[in-house]
Amino acid sequence: MENIRELFDAALRDEYSEWHSIDWKAAQRFVGKAQARIAQAELEKDFRRVKRLQRSLIRCWQAKALAVRKVTENQGKRTSGVDRELWDTPEKKWEAVSRLILRGYRAKPLRRVRIPKSDGRERPLGIPTMRDRAMQALFLLAIEPAAECHADPNSYGFRKGRSTHDARSQLFVSLSQKGSAQWVLDADIVGFFDNINHDWLLAKVRMNKRVLGQWLRCGVVDKNQFQRTEQGTPQGGIISPLLANIALDGLETGLKRFLTDRLGVTGVKKAKVNLVRYADDFVITGDSQELLVTVVKPWVEAFLRERGLQLHTGKTRIVHINEGFDFLGWNFRKYSEKLLIKPSRKNVQAFYGKVSEVIARHVSRPKAELIQKLNPILKGWAMYHQGVVAKATFTKLDHQILWRLWRWGMRRHPRWSRGKVFLHYWCHPDTRWEFSAKAINRWEEVVQLRLYHLADTSIVRHVKIKGAYNPFDPAWEPYWEGLRVKRMKQSIWNAQRLELWLSQSGKCVFCGTDLEYEDGRHEDHHIEEVRYGGSNSLANRVLLHSWCHRRTHALGLEVTKPVPARGL
């Protein structure tokens, strides 16, 4: 039996050896240095050198391997394009690296998929093939460093190190003081991704025009019918967020230059015009309604018109801060000269609807399975609103979820009384009643699962990133390291995983690169497997990237516990 097992493990190692033998740390270091050189040349306005470095990066093997890893590790790795091809095995991934060549490359049509929107309509997504996705990821590695050098300071969507929380914090800075702007232009663009002008993108985006033109005009297959794409960028493509940011970059800096030329430096300060943008959603503050109506809005409309875009007349509005407005799932409003940011009513209703739907689908399922399904949803939503005035909303939702679970129990036991149902599903181990159940974890241990209480979430002020931060400029590395540690401490929910992360200095033990708080793809690895006598103590566990975790098991490699770092 042992001989058969050894032969099987040897065959498995041979099968996985090529893809899993890639040194990801060396590949990441090589690409990172190349991106830093591109950013430096862009800042020096040496555009010939930028083009030469970008061409070299696109052709290098390390960048191709990282591009393949990107499209095979994200959420869309199981979604195929029109060719129905998936790269779901190490052999296919290894072969895919050699297929990423420009000679003879031709993009295939997109596969149309429709997902429901919150207003009842459907959002059309265009799903590229795996090869097209990998080519887009490859070009993204080369184009993003140059684009980042020209991005607006207060643009926070689809950029490294930036999030919706940074946009919210910037709006708090612009609106919270007594002397802050009192009026807000809450803008909405009609069909942003569907209406961007192709000619404008081809003229402004500095990359291979033939490849970009194919991505923009490759067409869509919808219900077995081919349709041409004469405008817009495909929603669902990896390169689309970057193209969208390039299209709107200059909105903030251009508006500031226009107002400075028209009103002067002193006039701009008095006007209190500030723009905060997340992807295609943006808000502009102003000291008066007249300024926003007669000066700011016409300039914004002209800026968008050049790119084939226009403001949505029904959703774009100018409001007073005392009336309030919704932005990125929050409501911004002043109460007696005090700005309060709360979860928006629409966002709360959508969240409660999702929780209710999950509970309704699990009427006949075990209680432990329901808790395991609900806890990530509850924790994720609570962490999103962790930095705003949300305690009252959390408490109210906890009561509503309690009532919904009570109804869930009554439906399972229609002949029981309400009190009997409550005592059957809720226990009182400590100081309050808990909706809990016993379950067996992956280490075959009996654990007590408890439903997460939203009100237990502590309100913590988000640390905003500096507007001038450039992730590809080595001069900003010390600043980002300090900020990353602060954010990671807030984002890790499990205390044991946080302790492991701090003991490893935020690095993957296997490859030595950063365990970023944004991707969340971290695996809890046992140095000595539990089935072979290993324990679940922290001394026997480390955090690895998901791809590093698979590589260690595929090749039978050993991982050692790092020496705890000081100063974190």
Side-chain angles (χ1 to χ4, degrees), residues 171 175 182-190 274-278 280-286 292-293 296-297 300 304 311-321 323-332 344 346:
L171 273 177
L175 297 169
Q182 299 296 308
W183 291 90
V184 174
L185 170 62
D186 184 11
D188 186 88
I189 301 176
V190 179
N274 295 286
L275 187 145
V276 177
R277 177 169 67 86
Y278 186 90
D280 61 321
D281 296 327
F282 62 93
V283 168
I284 303 177
T285 66
L292 294 178
V293 172
V296 174
K297 187 177 178 182
V300 171
L304 296 177
L311 293 176
H312 195 299
T313 55
K315 296 183 179 180
T316 300
R317 61 195 190 115
I318 298 176
V319 297
H320 195 274
I321 190 60
E323 180 182 349
F325 64 96
D326 292 345
F327 185 62
L328 302 177
W330 295 293
N331 178 261
F332 298 76
S344 67
K346 183 178 179 181

Side-chain angles (χ1 to χ4, degrees), residues 263-457:
L263 305 177
V265 177
T266 305
V268 171
K269 291 182 179 179
K270 292 181 179 179
K272 301 171 185 175
V273 175
N274 295 286
L275 187 145
V276 177
R277 177 169 67 86
Y278 186 90
D280 61 321
D281 296 327
F282 62 93
V283 168
I284 303 177
T285 66
D287 191 50
S288 68
Q289 183 181 17
E290 181 182 2
L291 175 69
L292 294 178
V293 172
T294 60
V295 179
V296 174
K297 187 177 178 182
W299 185 90
V300 171
E301 290 174 337
F303 178 90
L304 296 177
R305 195 180 305 115
E306 182 183 355
R307 292 152 176 78
L309 305 170
Q310 60 179 348
L311 293 176
H312 195 299
T313 55
K315 296 183 179 180
T316 300
R317 61 195 190 115
I318 298 176
V319 297
H320 195 274
I321 190 60
N322 292 338
E323 180 182 349
F325 64 96
D326 292 345
F327 185 62
L328 302 177
W330 295 293
N331 178 261
F332 298 76
R333 184 178 176 183
K334 271 192 175 181
Y335 300 84
S336 301
E337 298 298 325
K338 185 175 183 179
L339 179 68
L340 296 183
I341 306 175
K342 303 178 181 180
S344 67
R345 180 177 299 180
K346 183 178 179 181
N347 186 271
V348 171
Q349 291 175 347
F351 166 72
Y352 182 64
K354 183 177 182 180
V355 172
S356 302
E357 182 182 354
V358 171
I359 295 174
R361 288 202 311 264
H362 287 73
V363 172
S364 60
R365 306 303 300 168
K367 182 170 61 169
E369 184 177 329
L370 175 62
I371 295 175
Q372 289 175 332
K373 189 70 175 180
L374 284 177
N375 274 350
I377 299 174
L378 298 174
K379 288 181 179 179
W381 190 82
M383 294 295 288
Y384 185 78
H385 297 286
Q386 185 182 28
V388 301
V389 184
K391 275 293 185 182
T393 303
F394 288 163
T395 303
K396 181 179 178 180
L397 281 171
D398 277 336
H399 284 90
Q400 291 177 337
I401 294 172
L402 168 65
W403 176 83
R404 182 65 65 177
L405 290 171
W406 209 335
R407 290 286 302 272
W408 172 84
M410 292 295 296
R411 186 175 176 183
R412 289 166 66 94
H413 308 282
R415 296 185 179 182
W416 287 11
S417 66
R418 293 169 60 89
K420 186 176 180 179
V421 169
F422 184 84
L423 292 175
H424 181 73
Y425 287 106
W426 277 263
C427 62
H428 193 278
D430 300 318
T431 58
R432 66 182 179 187
W433 293 93
E434 298 278 359
F435 187 79
S436 61
K438 291 183 178 180
I440 299 177
N441 61 15
R442 60 178 177 174
W443 304 308
E444 298 182 356
E445 296 175 340
V446 178
V447 295
Q448 189 77 12
L449 296 178
R450 297 184 180 183
L451 188 71
Y452 183 78
H453 286 261
L454 297 175
D456 290 345
T457 307

Side-chain angles (χ1 to χ4, degrees), residues 25 107 221 241 299 305 320 363 378 462 492 536 540:
K25 180 179 180 180
V221 176
W299 185 90
R305 195 180 305 115
H320 195 274
V363 172
L378 298 174
H462 176 74
I492 296 182
N536 291 320
N540 190 46

Side-chain angles (χ1 to χ4, degrees), residues 130-182:
M130 294 296 293
R131 187 187 181 198
D132 290 339
R133 270 179 264 176
M135 289 295 291
Q136 291 183 15
L138 180 60
F139 272 85
L140 181 66
L141 292 173
I143 300 171
E144 191 176 16
E148 188 70 28
C149 298
H150 303 286
D152 289 334
N154 290 311
S155 167
Y156 299 99
F158 306 113
R159 296 177 62 191
K160 288 187 175 182
R162 300 174 186 245
S163 64
T164 55
H165 306 286
D166 294 302
R168 182 197 69 213
S169 300
Q170 180 59 34
L171 273 177
F172 181 83
V173 172
S174 303
L175 297 169
S176 59
Q177 302 298 323
K178 287 186 177 181
S180 299
Q182 299 296 308

